[in-house]
Amino acid sequence: MMTVYNNNGHKVPVQAMPNGVIIPSNGQMNGHFIYAGDQRHISEVPTQWRPTNWSRENLLGIKGDIMSFTPSDPSVTRTRILMIGLVGAGKSSFYNTIDSVFRNRITQRATCGSAENSLTKNFSSKLPVSWWNFKIKPSANDRVHCIAFVIDATSVDVLSKEDLHKIRTFQELAKERGIVQTVVLTKIDTLCKDVKRDISSAVTSPVVETAVQKVADLLRLPRNNVFPMKNYENETELDDKISILALSALRQMLHFTEDALQKKKEEAEHAKWPCNIL
Ligand SMILES: Nc1nc2c(ncn2[C@@H]2O[C@H](COP(=O)(O)OP(=O)(O)O)[C@@H](O)[C@H]2O)c(=O)[nH]1
Ligand SMILES: [Mg+2]
């Protein structure tokens, strides 16, 4: 006879299925229940505020989608995503996270860390713009197609007015140019201990959900433009859940970019019409 307890510490009559799944036998409890290892606890599987499939199959599917993605505009051969964020926000780590998934091992091609002389800081303002590389008339291929504001999730509540002003300035520029705006909300593992324990909690944690909502409100963007992220930073092995979080963000950025390119194309075609019928 097995004794299990629910989240409130009450005994729950259960029935063990042959596959090891434990279900309440009195039918009085709603929802789904899981058996949590040796602790002999059952807890309700929380609702995902952003439905996510954590299976290996899904990871491979997303990876395939990204590898085979081609913008429908033939003048754009590669989608350019510009990461903007404060020093230490996790830009290099996000790059490395994506790179790691595609190289099937943890990589560190972008130098990251919190050292005073980090690469990001060295490149800040002292280097002159190389004019011979600067394109006054960039082609569709040279342009930035998507901006990813990289924001440390633990900094959302303490974002200074100056930093917010800087972000808004970039947003204005992006809006004028029809550039897609997204947010990569890093370090959600330090925001919520459930996420630290299990990355899949990223899409069930109310703490993360609130942070996503706050950033969306702050930047006046739809919630689905904000991607909660846990970068590879301490891991030495790949983890499907971290990879899924990162790749689904990247795939979404590519899809949004494609939508924006199509919108631009439609607008250009409409502009050729002799008159507008309203
Ligand atoms: N816990 C945790 N640390 C992170 C995460 N992303 C980045 N970091 C750490 O934050 C620090 C700064 O990251 P880095 O990528 O160099 O920031 P950058 O200056 O924006 O390029 C590094 O020590 C990273 O290991 C994350 O998702 N979770
Ligand atoms: Mg960096």
Side-chain angles (χ1 to χ4, degrees), residues 106 189 199 230-239 242:
I106 302 290
D189 54 310
I199 301 302
K230 154 75 180 101
N231 285 320
Y232 284 121
E233 41 85 34
N234 179 41
E235 296 73 8
T236 50
E237 300 281 341
L238 294 179
D239 171 329
I242 296 182

Side-chain angles (χ1 to χ4, degrees), residues 91-146:
K91 300 179 292 299
S92 305
S93 304
F94 182 58
Y95 173 88
N96 287 335
T97 299
I98 300 282
D99 190 51
S100 299
V101 187
F102 284 102
R103 285 171 187 266
N104 268 321
R105 64 177 181 83
I106 302 290
T107 64
Q108 219 172 52
R109 294 212 299 163
T111 310
C112 52
S114 48
E116 269 297 290
N117 59 351
S118 89
L119 197 69
T120 321
K121 239 181 176 172
N122 280 348
F123 271 57
S124 59
S125 54
K126 289 177 196 146
L127 290 181
V129 173
S130 43
W131 288 102
W132 50 90
N133 276 338
F134 186 81
K135 296 194 175 159
I136 294 170
K137 274 199 164 182
S139 67
N141 217 17
D142 299 322
R143 288 174 197 276
V144 167
H145 305 106
C146 174

